[in-house]
Amino acid sequence: MAERLEKVLEAHFRYEERQLEAIGYTKLDEHRSEHRMMLGQLQSIRHRLELIEPGALHSEPGFLLLSYIFGVTVGHIAHSDMDYRAFARQAADDEMVWPAS
């Protein structure tokens, strides 16, 4: 599950970064850094999960992934993504084209 989540996030982040570049988002480098940090955190979680013996009953994997997903959805989306949302709306108001529209 963690491996699949990583692939989905990598694809999503690439797409999002291309869209932000297209509208000239001024905080793109900062946003891209957040994406890289989140992917690094997920890789660390995957490494920890790989150390757990197969078949062992262990609650840590679920808690690790749940905490990570919560951080991505509530933390990143509610804060950083809302910032580019405001930028994109302003760009649209200034008659720029928002590629995701």
Side-chain angles (χ1 to χ4, degrees):
M1 183 174 166
E3 181 180 354
R4 182 177 168 106
L5 177 60
E6 185 175 10
K7 289 179 182 180
V8 167
L9 281 178
E10 285 174 340
H12 169 76
F13 291 160
R14 278 192 308 272
Y15 173 79
E16 183 177 286
E17 290 167 9
R18 282 193 309 266
Q19 300 306 308
L20 294 176
E21 187 171 19
I23 64 166
Y25 183 54
T26 56
K27 296 181 183 177
L28 178 57
D29 289 339
E30 179 182 327
H31 201 81
R32 188 177 280 135
S33 292
E34 287 182 35
H35 288 168
R36 299 302 156 248
M37 182 182 68
M38 287 187 292
L39 290 172
Q41 290 170 337
L42 185 53
Q43 289 171 352
S44 294
I45 290 170
R46 285 187 59 202
H47 178 70
R48 285 179 66 182
L49 295 175
E50 290 168 1
L51 296 176
I52 297 173
E53 290 185 33
L57 292 177
H58 207 284
S59 61
E60 186 181 27
F63 287 123
L64 284 171
L65 285 175
L66 182 60
S67 294
Y68 178 80
I69 292 168
F70 187 70
V72 168
T73 56
V74 174
H76 181 71
I77 295 172
H79 298 293
S80 297
D81 286 356
M82 289 300 111
D83 185 64
Y84 81 65
R85 177 179 173 256
F87 182 90
R89 282 190 171 187
Q90 183 61 47
D93 289 346
D94 294 341
E95 299 194 43
M96 291 179 65
V97 176
W98 171 232
S101 303

